[in-house]
Amino acid sequence: MGAYILRRIGQMVPTLAGVMLLIFVLFNAVGGDPALVLAGKITNKEQIENIRKQLGVDQPWYVQMGYFGFEVATGFTCTWRSFTEKPEPPKSEARADAKPEAKPDTKAAPKATPPSGCQAVRSWATNEEVPKILATRIGPTLSIMIPVLVLETIIAIFLAIGVAYVRGTLTDRMIMMICTVAMSISFLVYIIVAQYYFGFKWGVFPVQGWSDNFWKNMANYAPLPIMLAIFVGLAPALRLYRSFFLDEINSDYVRTARAKGLSENKVLLKHVMRNAMIPIITNVGIAVPSLFVGSFLLESFFSIPGLGREILVAVNRSDFPVIKAATVYLAMITMIINLMVDITYKAIDPRVTFK
Amino acid sequence: MRHPRAGGGPINYVIPPKSQRRSLAAIGERMRHPRAGGGPINYVIPPKSQRCSLAAIGERMRLVAKSSRAGGGPSFLRYCPRGASARKFSEEYVMSAVLNQPPSAPVAAPLHQPSPGLWTLAWRRLKRDKIGMTALVVVLFFLLLMAGSYMGLVAKNWSKEVGVSYANPSFMAGAENLEAAQAAQKDTSAKVPFVDLSDIDPLAPKYEEWAKRTAEIKITDTPRADTLLFGGDKWGRDVIQKAIKGAETSIFVGLIAALLATIIGTVLGAISGYLGGRTGDFLEWFYNVFTSIPYILLILAFAAVFKRGLDTIIFILAFTGWTGIYRLVRAEYIKHASREYVKAAQAIGASHTRRMFVHILPNVSHVCLVQLSQHVVQFIKAEVILSFLGLGVPVDSVSWGTMLAEAQSELVIGKWWQLVAASVSMALLVTAFSMLTDSLRDALDPKIK
Amino acid sequence: MDNLLEVQNLNVKFRLDGGTIFDAVKGVSFDVPRNSTVALVGESGSGKSVSAMSIVRLLPAEQAILSPDSKILFNDQNLLALDDAPMRSIRGKDISVIFQEPMTSLNPVFTCGDQIAETLRLHMGMTRRQAWSRAEELMNEVGIPTPKLRMHSFPHEMSGGQQQRVMIAMAIACEPQLLIADEPTTALDVTIQKQILDLIGSLQHKHKMSVLFITHDLAVVGEIADRVVVMQQGEIKEKGTAKAIFEAPQHPYTKALLSCRPNVDSRPKRLPVIEDFLRPEGLRSESLVQQTRGYADDDEIVLDVRNLSKRFQLKDGLFKKREVAAVKGASFKLARGKTLGLVGESGSGKTTVGLTLMRLHSASGGEVLFDGVDLLKLSEQEMMKYKRRIQIVFQNPYASLNPRFTVGQILLEPMNIHKIGTNEQERVQMAMALLKRVGMPEVSFYKYPHEFSGGQRQRIAIARCLTMKPDVLICDESVSALDVSVQAQVLNLLQDLQDEYKMSYIFISHDLAVVKYISDQVMVMSEGNVIEVANSDEIYLHPQQEYTKKLLGSIPKGWQEGKQAA
């Protein structure tokens, strides 16, 4: 087991290197000159040159890649420049705690020099420290997504058992048909309509918003987005879980269980259930990493200051440092979660052996 | 090494005695193993050459069925526990039993007539599936619509402002339209206050000339309609025409992106699955890189660096969406590469390329087709969301996503028709496409061999 | 008469896809007396399993229709008229079942102990602890070593034979009156089969229960059954005591079944097939003449395999690689026009030998001298011209033909690759002629494999090899998946072709009787080692090695006069 985990961690290194390469190519090569993106409408060559220098993009690509590698290695808490250069007294008044909604202050961003020592990677748009941005955004995202995942899985499992019980009947076919139709309607439509009726028209929930108080959020702001996400996620989950149950129902061991004289309920709830849980848990495991991205649609519609919305804002502002950091962080989290999921298999499926 | 009866995977194949061999083919075709996911069991029409014998058997079965029904009725259903493994039995018992049904009439097969291949049989199966065919008709209708709109036969004038702002749908012509009224007011009021600045205006002498020139240009100021068939948008454009044009964009993006993704996934999956080794490891690494970034984030990261446009969004969707297809095709290739028919091809000296593309590819192509169909749906949905967010189609074109974006604010002022038009047309297409995918999966199930 | 079970006029129909109704069992009646073993024999599709499953009512409700005048009396109680709840209390308690595939029939996520104890707690009202200790006793009774440990094992941690023992322990847990055994040994190796048969036999005596034994193998029936019911296509062809069936079969089908399967004691020139028994003039003369086999001193040696070995590499641990030797230094000679039989249990490496010598696997060592050329040393290109001279027919007729090719394409492909025949027309003619030669109508040329039965597909696969006129044909379990009557036909075909084309065969099979029938020389393998090579009569009459003796001792002997009287 120890050897297995070591080996898996060893395998993560090339994958992470690949992710870094992909991101580097995407943002540094394809993404055009970061300085131009950043400078926006500035046409002053000197200024642009200055920005380029500040960002280090005047260097050859391999040096830039080294910078990026250093940033990743320090978890974006330290840039190469701040690591090597002596701290200078700050010239600009740009503050790190500028509001996230603030207009991209292009002139201030690169000139902001660190007060002392190691400096975290900063957002081009707001000059905030990227690790800080991401750390503050993760809370709201998880407080929406964890309840969604947990409730959705539980509800879907129970519904799937029910549907598996009535398999082949008209009820079964009708439910599957409804699921197909429900899945065909865009998530956007659900959100727009629900927000309009529940929030705007009937005032059951606030239209949008978020507070600093966790309990207030959970009581006021979170319920509508959570219910929406569950509602939308239920149809595909139900279809999938049902097929897992039906796959198992046709196994030989189910026939054996029936030949023992077990009742149909017992067969379904004990023998079938236990086996069907294996693919279900696999599936939930796959869904876990996307918890952290959150539903960017829900977050933007309901003005929830989560990670998804932050990334979306960053994409719209071409705020590359934020996107780069988020991608690398999330890739790491994904890999670790995948490993954890694989290890938990051992507990569920006795056939799994670590090699 | 396997034992004879245990051999060959979960299906127990059975061989009838020689005397029945003739009819076997005919009846064997009717049998198919239901797909793993469940769903209705369909059956296949036998090839023409064998129909006579089947008909005879069928006739005899009907007679027997009739005689037994006289005594019993449906009550004998309860002799079996509900839901005992139907599929298992159809595989183990029914199939073997059916295969052994003796022929009632000798089969006279016409010479030199190629019999239907698996694709033909799949098409026949699909034709029997009413839901599948309905879905196919709907999908084809949308495809025609797309082609028509692309060639300018329909919805050519979608961008013309033919109605008043937020023109009501014709079935609610009587309803108030405050916005149109306000706009009209603005129009007139804008013309009224006019201050003569000719004294100080250096361009003043030119005004007359300009006015003259303006007069020369004919303006066909068509009167704007108060109502449109399904209402108008803010600029008074016909919502139905917009929805058609939006369908064109969305389907085009979905189809081309899915096609590209399928090609990428299939080629890489085939190479990785068949060759394995270092090439396979490298492709696995490539796959792992793409899948360790959450899908949404991957799309957004791509969207962040590329300029928006139809080609961009197709590229983004295809380049981020190939991973699932790769995984499946790779698994299929690994499975098939060890199948006996591929080994037999190796034994007769067929080259790697021949084995990969002539032998295996046709046998996994159904997987690709189903994946293609499934990804069209997925990509249409993704395009709508990206366009909604302003990361999709360019500003000057319309898609269901941009329609929904407009509809969001319209809903607040009670103009619901654009929302309904976009979401209903999209739901209709996507439902039909999903059902077609399900039916395709059933019809193409390769287990009938 | 004191019958435990009486099946009366059982009719089962299946509702097939769409609306077709299919008769699976047509008016079947038979009895199972108390304390006796009744065998239900038939080939696939005979309705034997459907009949057995109707007794415990485990047929799929969605598809199966039982006719209302069918009766199944168990202790004079009509099982078909029972409600679900009382039926469940009989199932597993008074009537229990063991199935063919022990691996899939046990639930993979519960321990064997749990699964046995579950039955006890359900029917015997035992507490968890009582059930557990009783289950342990049962494990001991069915001969599982270290039952205390094995109680905690999951099914996948046990061998096939042990899994079947667990199934049996589960089945006898509640002291049933009737045990239905549905092909319980078909998936097992011959030595394990013997152990399981002995176990069932001794348990039957010990617990005074009745056994309904379903099988396709008459040799097994002869060993264990008191009474025999022969079924074909949903009908009973003949029933009676084992003595009557084996010594004086009445129905031609029974006669054919008894004689079309090769047995160890006789080797007719030609195996009788069912048609032979239906002909008024009786059996062909070739079926009555015995054939002598064996290598002669002046035989030309086509293939000389020396010290062939094959190791597979498995990844193990962080960087370690584990090697598994599938074949350890096999040496043998193949004479022209003769057959070498390769026998062994699963995992013995016999198939690997076949695949390695024709380079479908790369060999790890040794020489394969074909006409004096070492095939293993040839480059890929040099090998091409030898490829056509060694061909192979695989086990599974359903997997060995490309389903997207017509039979014509299948036959033409090797000719195109090896440039056999001058033009397409000539090739088509050759293909047609070969189809005819293997007993297929010419029209098959235009059809797809899915339109043919297993036996027919094997013929097509043989024809594909014949297009290349090979010197050596490897038959890798080629007849093992076929029903006995079809098996006889294919064996006869192979013999005819050998006589005609002077081909040499390497005949790989786990079936000792078939190998004895077709082979001149036999090579016995076990765990990658060659145990013994000798002429086939020699090896069967005077086995030198312990393993060979054990293997031969496990062959079901079938009916032996006087045995059953005891």
Side-chain angles (χ1 to χ4, degrees), chain B residues 15 20-21 25 61 76 79 81 112 348 354 359, chain C residues 21 49 57 65 80 233 413 418 446 451 483 489:
Chain B
I15 296 88
Q20 286 110 40
R21 250 190 248 141
M61 283 175 175
F76 32 86
Y79 292 140
H112 299 286
I348 62 171
R354 191 170 170 82
H359 282 272
Chain C
I21 304 281
S49 285
R57 284 174 38 187
I65 312 166
L80 298 183
Q233 288 161 21
E413 189 185 20
H418 293 285
Y446 301 100
E451 296 171 72
D483 264 331
Q489 293 162 2

PDB file of all heavy atoms in Angstrom, chain B residues 15 20-21 25 61 76 79 81 112 348 354 359, chain C residues 21 49 57 65 80 233 413 418 446 451 483 489:
ATOM      1  N   ILE B  15     -24.612 -24.178 -29.857  1.00  0.00           N
ATOM      2  CA  ILE B  15     -24.556 -24.646 -31.216  1.00  0.00           C
ATOM      3  C   ILE B  15     -25.603 -25.712 -31.406  1.00  0.00           C
ATOM      4  O   ILE B  15     -25.684 -26.657 -30.640  1.00  0.00           O
ATOM      5  CB  ILE B  15     -23.167 -25.216 -31.517  1.00  0.00           C
ATOM      6  CG1 ILE B  15     -22.144 -24.092 -31.399  1.00  0.00           C
ATOM      7  CG2 ILE B  15     -23.090 -25.832 -32.874  1.00  0.00           C
ATOM      8  CD1 ILE B  15     -21.602 -23.895 -30.029  1.00  0.00           C
ATOM      9  N   GLN B  20     -30.398 -28.590 -37.907  1.00  0.00           N
ATOM     10  CA  GLN B  20     -31.109 -27.320 -37.835  1.00  0.00           C
ATOM     11  C   GLN B  20     -30.301 -26.140 -38.328  1.00  0.00           C
ATOM     12  O   GLN B  20     -30.700 -25.007 -38.197  1.00  0.00           O
ATOM     13  CB  GLN B  20     -31.511 -27.026 -36.398  1.00  0.00           C
ATOM     14  CG  GLN B  20     -32.652 -27.875 -35.960  1.00  0.00           C
ATOM     15  CD  GLN B  20     -32.159 -28.858 -34.976  1.00  0.00           C
ATOM     16  OE1 GLN B  20     -31.350 -28.541 -34.137  1.00  0.00           O
ATOM     17  NE2 GLN B  20     -32.651 -30.080 -35.066  1.00  0.00           N
ATOM     18  N   ARG B  21     -29.166 -26.426 -38.855  1.00  0.00           N
ATOM     19  CA  ARG B  21     -28.270 -25.319 -39.126  1.00  0.00           C
ATOM     20  C   ARG B  21     -28.849 -24.275 -40.041  1.00  0.00           C
ATOM     21  O   ARG B  21     -28.585 -23.110 -39.932  1.00  0.00           O
ATOM     22  CB  ARG B  21     -26.992 -25.845 -39.730  1.00  0.00           C
ATOM     23  CG  ARG B  21     -25.869 -25.703 -38.755  1.00  0.00           C
ATOM     24  CD  ARG B  21     -24.624 -26.006 -39.453  1.00  0.00           C
ATOM     25  NE  ARG B  21     -24.101 -27.235 -38.926  1.00  0.00           N
ATOM     26  CZ  ARG B  21     -23.523 -28.144 -39.663  1.00  0.00           C
ATOM     27  NH1 ARG B  21     -23.410 -27.999 -40.955  1.00  0.00           N
ATOM     28  NH2 ARG B  21     -23.049 -29.229 -39.112  1.00  0.00           N
ATOM     29  N   ALA B  25     -29.507 -19.316 -38.794  1.00  0.00           N
ATOM     30  CA  ALA B  25     -29.082 -17.974 -39.120  1.00  0.00           C
ATOM     31  C   ALA B  25     -30.269 -17.039 -39.042  1.00  0.00           C
ATOM     32  O   ALA B  25     -30.205 -15.974 -38.444  1.00  0.00           O
ATOM     33  CB  ALA B  25     -28.502 -17.960 -40.517  1.00  0.00           C
ATOM     34  N   MET B  61     -45.777 -20.744 -34.107  1.00  0.00           N
ATOM     35  CA  MET B  61     -45.748 -20.206 -32.752  1.00  0.00           C
ATOM     36  C   MET B  61     -47.072 -19.560 -32.404  1.00  0.00           C
ATOM     37  O   MET B  61     -47.585 -19.700 -31.325  1.00  0.00           O
ATOM     38  CB  MET B  61     -44.655 -19.167 -32.645  1.00  0.00           C
ATOM     39  CG  MET B  61     -43.297 -19.792 -32.542  1.00  0.00           C
ATOM     40  SD  MET B  61     -42.097 -18.503 -32.561  1.00  0.00           S
ATOM     41  CE  MET B  61     -40.635 -19.440 -32.272  1.00  0.00           C
ATOM     42  N   PHE B  76     -50.675 -16.601 -15.511  1.00  0.00           N
ATOM     43  CA  PHE B  76     -49.521 -17.467 -15.243  1.00  0.00           C
ATOM     44  C   PHE B  76     -48.213 -16.703 -15.149  1.00  0.00           C
ATOM     45  O   PHE B  76     -47.162 -17.257 -14.949  1.00  0.00           O
ATOM     46  CB  PHE B  76     -49.398 -18.654 -16.196  1.00  0.00           C
ATOM     47  CG  PHE B  76     -49.871 -18.459 -17.592  1.00  0.00           C
ATOM     48  CD1 PHE B  76     -49.039 -17.932 -18.548  1.00  0.00           C
ATOM     49  CD2 PHE B  76     -51.160 -18.827 -17.941  1.00  0.00           C
ATOM     50  CE1 PHE B  76     -49.484 -17.790 -19.839  1.00  0.00           C
ATOM     51  CE2 PHE B  76     -51.591 -18.674 -19.235  1.00  0.00           C
ATOM     52  CZ  PHE B  76     -50.758 -18.157 -20.189  1.00  0.00           C
ATOM     53  N   TYR B  79     -46.059 -17.123 -11.852  1.00  0.00           N
ATOM     54  CA  TYR B  79     -45.282 -18.300 -11.489  1.00  0.00           C
ATOM     55  C   TYR B  79     -43.822 -17.971 -11.295  1.00  0.00           C
ATOM     56  O   TYR B  79     -43.067 -18.746 -10.761  1.00  0.00           O
ATOM     57  CB  TYR B  79     -45.402 -19.381 -12.573  1.00  0.00           C
ATOM     58  CG  TYR B  79     -46.776 -19.949 -12.646  1.00  0.00           C
ATOM     59  CD1 TYR B  79     -47.385 -20.239 -13.856  1.00  0.00           C
ATOM     60  CD2 TYR B  79     -47.490 -20.190 -11.468  1.00  0.00           C
ATOM     61  CE1 TYR B  79     -48.651 -20.761 -13.914  1.00  0.00           C
ATOM     62  CE2 TYR B  79     -48.766 -20.705 -11.521  1.00  0.00           C
ATOM     63  CZ  TYR B  79     -49.351 -20.990 -12.740  1.00  0.00           C
ATOM     64  OH  TYR B  79     -50.604 -21.498 -12.791  1.00  0.00           O
ATOM     65  N   PRO B  81     -40.754 -15.289 -10.042  1.00  0.00           N
ATOM     66  CA  PRO B  81     -40.526 -14.129  -9.194  1.00  0.00           C
ATOM     67  C   PRO B  81     -40.379 -12.922 -10.096  1.00  0.00           C
ATOM     68  O   PRO B  81     -39.785 -13.003 -11.158  1.00  0.00           O
ATOM     69  CB  PRO B  81     -39.216 -14.452  -8.495  1.00  0.00           C
ATOM     70  CG  PRO B  81     -38.540 -15.425  -9.392  1.00  0.00           C
ATOM     71  CD  PRO B  81     -39.626 -16.193 -10.048  1.00  0.00           C
ATOM     72  N   HIS B 112     -25.901 -15.464 -55.160  1.00  0.00           N
ATOM     73  CA  HIS B 112     -25.221 -14.215 -55.493  1.00  0.00           C
ATOM     74  C   HIS B 112     -25.912 -12.979 -54.996  1.00  0.00           C
ATOM     75  O   HIS B 112     -25.838 -11.933 -55.605  1.00  0.00           O
ATOM     76  CB  HIS B 112     -25.001 -14.115 -57.004  1.00  0.00           C
ATOM     77  CG  HIS B 112     -24.158 -15.219 -57.511  1.00  0.00           C
ATOM     78  ND1 HIS B 112     -22.808 -15.280 -57.303  1.00  0.00           N
ATOM     79  CD2 HIS B 112     -24.494 -16.342 -58.190  1.00  0.00           C
ATOM     80  CE1 HIS B 112     -22.335 -16.389 -57.847  1.00  0.00           C
ATOM     81  NE2 HIS B 112     -23.329 -17.050 -58.375  1.00  0.00           N
ATOM     82  N   ILE B 348      -2.730 -14.861 -40.467  1.00  0.00           N
ATOM     83  CA  ILE B 348      -2.649 -14.958 -41.930  1.00  0.00           C
ATOM     84  C   ILE B 348      -1.699 -13.910 -42.493  1.00  0.00           C
ATOM     85  O   ILE B 348      -1.513 -13.834 -43.691  1.00  0.00           O
ATOM     86  CB  ILE B 348      -4.032 -14.819 -42.598  1.00  0.00           C
ATOM     87  CG1 ILE B 348      -4.636 -13.456 -42.296  1.00  0.00           C
ATOM     88  CG2 ILE B 348      -4.955 -15.938 -42.165  1.00  0.00           C
ATOM     89  CD1 ILE B 348      -5.873 -13.181 -43.084  1.00  0.00           C
ATOM     90  N   ARG B 354      -3.394  -2.752 -41.343  1.00  0.00           N
ATOM     91  CA  ARG B 354      -4.568  -3.460 -41.825  1.00  0.00           C
ATOM     92  C   ARG B 354      -5.422  -3.934 -40.645  1.00  0.00           C
ATOM     93  O   ARG B 354      -6.635  -3.792 -40.631  1.00  0.00           O
ATOM     94  CB  ARG B 354      -4.115  -4.653 -42.671  1.00  0.00           C
ATOM     95  CG  ARG B 354      -5.256  -5.280 -43.410  1.00  0.00           C
ATOM     96  CD  ARG B 354      -4.811  -6.301 -44.433  1.00  0.00           C
ATOM     97  NE  ARG B 354      -6.009  -6.995 -44.893  1.00  0.00           N
ATOM     98  CZ  ARG B 354      -6.812  -6.517 -45.825  1.00  0.00           C
ATOM     99  NH1 ARG B 354      -6.538  -5.387 -46.430  1.00  0.00           N
ATOM    100  NH2 ARG B 354      -7.913  -7.182 -46.159  1.00  0.00           N
ATOM    101  N   HIS B 359      -9.593  -4.207 -39.938  1.00  0.00           N
ATOM    102  CA  HIS B 359     -10.274  -5.214 -39.113  1.00  0.00           C
ATOM    103  C   HIS B 359     -10.971  -4.602 -37.902  1.00  0.00           C
ATOM    104  O   HIS B 359     -12.151  -4.822 -37.692  1.00  0.00           O
ATOM    105  CB  HIS B 359      -9.273  -6.282 -38.654  1.00  0.00           C
ATOM    106  CG  HIS B 359      -8.942  -7.270 -39.726  1.00  0.00           C
ATOM    107  ND1 HIS B 359      -9.672  -8.407 -39.931  1.00  0.00           N
ATOM    108  CD2 HIS B 359      -7.982  -7.268 -40.673  1.00  0.00           C
ATOM    109  CE1 HIS B 359      -9.174  -9.074 -40.952  1.00  0.00           C
ATOM    110  NE2 HIS B 359      -8.135  -8.402 -41.428  1.00  0.00           N
TER     111      HIS B 359
ATOM    112  N   ILE C  21     -43.587 -15.610 -29.765  1.00  0.00           N
ATOM    113  CA  ILE C  21     -43.612 -16.545 -28.646  1.00  0.00           C
ATOM    114  C   ILE C  21     -42.798 -17.756 -29.068  1.00  0.00           C
ATOM    115  O   ILE C  21     -42.882 -18.210 -30.202  1.00  0.00           O
ATOM    116  CB  ILE C  21     -45.054 -17.006 -28.337  1.00  0.00           C
ATOM    117  CG1 ILE C  21     -45.949 -15.814 -28.065  1.00  0.00           C
ATOM    118  CG2 ILE C  21     -45.073 -18.005 -27.204  1.00  0.00           C
ATOM    119  CD1 ILE C  21     -45.830 -15.239 -26.700  1.00  0.00           C
ATOM    120  N   SER C  49     -32.244 -26.683 -18.776  1.00  0.00           N
ATOM    121  CA  SER C  49     -32.106 -25.691 -17.716  1.00  0.00           C
ATOM    122  C   SER C  49     -33.402 -24.960 -17.460  1.00  0.00           C
ATOM    123  O   SER C  49     -33.735 -24.643 -16.311  1.00  0.00           O
ATOM    124  CB  SER C  49     -31.017 -24.677 -18.080  1.00  0.00           C
ATOM    125  OG  SER C  49     -29.756 -25.262 -17.924  1.00  0.00           O
ATOM    126  N   ARG C  57     -38.883 -21.765  -9.873  1.00  0.00           N
ATOM    127  CA  ARG C  57     -39.524 -20.539 -10.356  1.00  0.00           C
ATOM    128  C   ARG C  57     -38.550 -19.375 -10.437  1.00  0.00           C
ATOM    129  O   ARG C  57     -38.814 -18.274  -9.960  1.00  0.00           O
ATOM    130  CB  ARG C  57     -40.731 -20.192  -9.469  1.00  0.00           C
ATOM    131  CG  ARG C  57     -41.888 -21.109  -9.789  1.00  0.00           C
ATOM    132  CD  ARG C  57     -43.064 -20.955  -8.887  1.00  0.00           C
ATOM    133  NE  ARG C  57     -43.356 -19.609  -8.476  1.00  0.00           N
ATOM    134  CZ  ARG C  57     -44.287 -19.303  -7.576  1.00  0.00           C
ATOM    135  NH1 ARG C  57     -45.016 -20.264  -7.040  1.00  0.00           N
ATOM    136  NH2 ARG C  57     -44.502 -18.064  -7.234  1.00  0.00           N
ATOM    137  N   ILE C  65     -43.534 -17.745 -19.914  1.00  0.00           N
ATOM    138  CA  ILE C  65     -44.951 -18.004 -19.695  1.00  0.00           C
ATOM    139  C   ILE C  65     -45.084 -19.491 -19.419  1.00  0.00           C
ATOM    140  O   ILE C  65     -44.688 -20.316 -20.237  1.00  0.00           O
ATOM    141  CB  ILE C  65     -45.776 -17.675 -20.951  1.00  0.00           C
ATOM    142  CG1 ILE C  65     -45.392 -16.298 -21.482  1.00  0.00           C
ATOM    143  CG2 ILE C  65     -47.257 -17.757 -20.653  1.00  0.00           C
ATOM    144  CD1 ILE C  65     -45.907 -16.050 -22.877  1.00  0.00           C
ATOM    145  N   LEU C  80     -46.165 -24.475  -8.673  1.00  0.00           N
ATOM    146  CA  LEU C  80     -46.547 -23.414  -9.600  1.00  0.00           C
ATOM    147  C   LEU C  80     -47.766 -22.647  -9.106  1.00  0.00           C
ATOM    148  O   LEU C  80     -48.055 -21.560  -9.592  1.00  0.00           O
ATOM    149  CB  LEU C  80     -46.821 -23.995 -10.985  1.00  0.00           C
ATOM    150  CG  LEU C  80     -45.620 -24.664 -11.648  1.00  0.00           C
ATOM    151  CD1 LEU C  80     -45.978 -25.147 -13.043  1.00  0.00           C
ATOM    152  CD2 LEU C  80     -44.433 -23.735 -11.708  1.00  0.00           C
ATOM    153  N   GLN C 233     -34.581 -30.220 -27.888  1.00  0.00           N
ATOM    154  CA  GLN C 233     -35.500 -29.200 -28.364  1.00  0.00           C
ATOM    155  C   GLN C 233     -36.799 -29.122 -27.571  1.00  0.00           C
ATOM    156  O   GLN C 233     -37.889 -29.108 -28.118  1.00  0.00           O
ATOM    157  CB  GLN C 233     -35.826 -29.440 -29.830  1.00  0.00           C
ATOM    158  CG  GLN C 233     -34.647 -29.108 -30.714  1.00  0.00           C
ATOM    159  CD  GLN C 233     -34.752 -29.742 -32.058  1.00  0.00           C
ATOM    160  OE1 GLN C 233     -35.839 -30.104 -32.488  1.00  0.00           O
ATOM    161  NE2 GLN C 233     -33.630 -29.886 -32.711  1.00  0.00           N
ATOM    162  N   GLU C 413      -9.129 -12.643 -48.117  1.00  0.00           N
ATOM    163  CA  GLU C 413      -8.076 -11.821 -47.518  1.00  0.00           C
ATOM    164  C   GLU C 413      -6.708 -12.531 -47.473  1.00  0.00           C
ATOM    165  O   GLU C 413      -5.717 -11.980 -47.953  1.00  0.00           O
ATOM    166  CB  GLU C 413      -8.485 -11.351 -46.119  1.00  0.00           C
ATOM    167  CG  GLU C 413      -7.513 -10.335 -45.576  1.00  0.00           C
ATOM    168  CD  GLU C 413      -7.811  -9.922 -44.157  1.00  0.00           C
ATOM    169  OE1 GLU C 413      -8.512 -10.667 -43.455  1.00  0.00           O
ATOM    170  OE2 GLU C 413      -7.325  -8.859 -43.750  1.00  0.00           O
ATOM    171  N   HIS C 418      -1.155 -13.120 -49.446  1.00  0.00           N
ATOM    172  CA  HIS C 418      -0.052 -13.993 -49.844  1.00  0.00           C
ATOM    173  C   HIS C 418       0.023 -14.198 -51.348  1.00  0.00           C
ATOM    174  O   HIS C 418       0.748 -15.066 -51.818  1.00  0.00           O
ATOM    175  CB  HIS C 418      -0.183 -15.344 -49.122  1.00  0.00           C
ATOM    176  CG  HIS C 418       0.021 -15.223 -47.641  1.00  0.00           C
ATOM    177  ND1 HIS C 418       1.263 -15.057 -47.089  1.00  0.00           N
ATOM    178  CD2 HIS C 418      -0.854 -15.207 -46.618  1.00  0.00           C
ATOM    179  CE1 HIS C 418       1.142 -14.957 -45.765  1.00  0.00           C
ATOM    180  NE2 HIS C 418      -0.141 -15.034 -45.461  1.00  0.00           N
ATOM    181  N   TYR C 446     -21.472 -15.038 -49.747  1.00  0.00           N
ATOM    182  CA  TYR C 446     -21.992 -13.664 -49.724  1.00  0.00           C
ATOM    183  C   TYR C 446     -22.561 -13.277 -48.368  1.00  0.00           C
ATOM    184  O   TYR C 446     -23.114 -12.216 -48.210  1.00  0.00           O
ATOM    185  CB  TYR C 446     -23.078 -13.503 -50.792  1.00  0.00           C
ATOM    186  CG  TYR C 446     -22.550 -13.808 -52.163  1.00  0.00           C
ATOM    187  CD1 TYR C 446     -22.777 -15.046 -52.760  1.00  0.00           C
ATOM    188  CD2 TYR C 446     -21.779 -12.870 -52.861  1.00  0.00           C
ATOM    189  CE1 TYR C 446     -22.277 -15.335 -54.011  1.00  0.00           C
ATOM    190  CE2 TYR C 446     -21.275 -13.154 -54.112  1.00  0.00           C
ATOM    191  CZ  TYR C 446     -21.518 -14.387 -54.687  1.00  0.00           C
ATOM    192  OH  TYR C 446     -21.011 -14.670 -55.913  1.00  0.00           O
ATOM    193  N   GLU C 451     -24.695 -14.989 -39.509  1.00  0.00           N
ATOM    194  CA  GLU C 451     -25.795 -15.794 -40.009  1.00  0.00           C
ATOM    195  C   GLU C 451     -25.541 -17.285 -39.849  1.00  0.00           C
ATOM    196  O   GLU C 451     -26.342 -18.097 -40.294  1.00  0.00           O
ATOM    197  CB  GLU C 451     -26.041 -15.462 -41.483  1.00  0.00           C
ATOM    198  CG  GLU C 451     -26.489 -14.026 -41.668  1.00  0.00           C
ATOM    199  CD  GLU C 451     -26.521 -13.615 -43.128  1.00  0.00           C
ATOM    200  OE1 GLU C 451     -27.420 -14.085 -43.837  1.00  0.00           O
ATOM    201  OE2 GLU C 451     -25.646 -12.847 -43.551  1.00  0.00           O
ATOM    202  N   ASP C 483     -21.338 -28.378 -29.311  1.00  0.00           N
ATOM    203  CA  ASP C 483     -22.115 -29.483 -28.763  1.00  0.00           C
ATOM    204  C   ASP C 483     -21.579 -30.800 -29.303  1.00  0.00           C
ATOM    205  O   ASP C 483     -21.012 -30.851 -30.394  1.00  0.00           O
ATOM    206  CB  ASP C 483     -23.579 -29.331 -29.200  1.00  0.00           C
ATOM    207  CG  ASP C 483     -24.389 -28.644 -28.121  1.00  0.00           C
ATOM    208  OD1 ASP C 483     -24.029 -28.798 -26.939  1.00  0.00           O
ATOM    209  OD2 ASP C 483     -25.358 -27.964 -28.454  1.00  0.00           O
ATOM    210  N   GLN C 489     -19.027 -33.976 -35.996  1.00  0.00           N
ATOM    211  CA  GLN C 489     -18.955 -33.607 -37.412  1.00  0.00           C
ATOM    212  C   GLN C 489     -17.658 -32.885 -37.734  1.00  0.00           C
ATOM    213  O   GLN C 489     -17.014 -33.162 -38.746  1.00  0.00           O
ATOM    214  CB  GLN C 489     -20.133 -32.694 -37.777  1.00  0.00           C
ATOM    215  CG  GLN C 489     -21.471 -33.389 -37.712  1.00  0.00           C
ATOM    216  CD  GLN C 489     -22.606 -32.400 -37.632  1.00  0.00           C
ATOM    217  OE1 GLN C 489     -22.386 -31.190 -37.661  1.00  0.00           O
ATOM    218  NE2 GLN C 489     -23.819 -32.900 -37.536  1.00  0.00           N
TER     219      GLN C 489
END
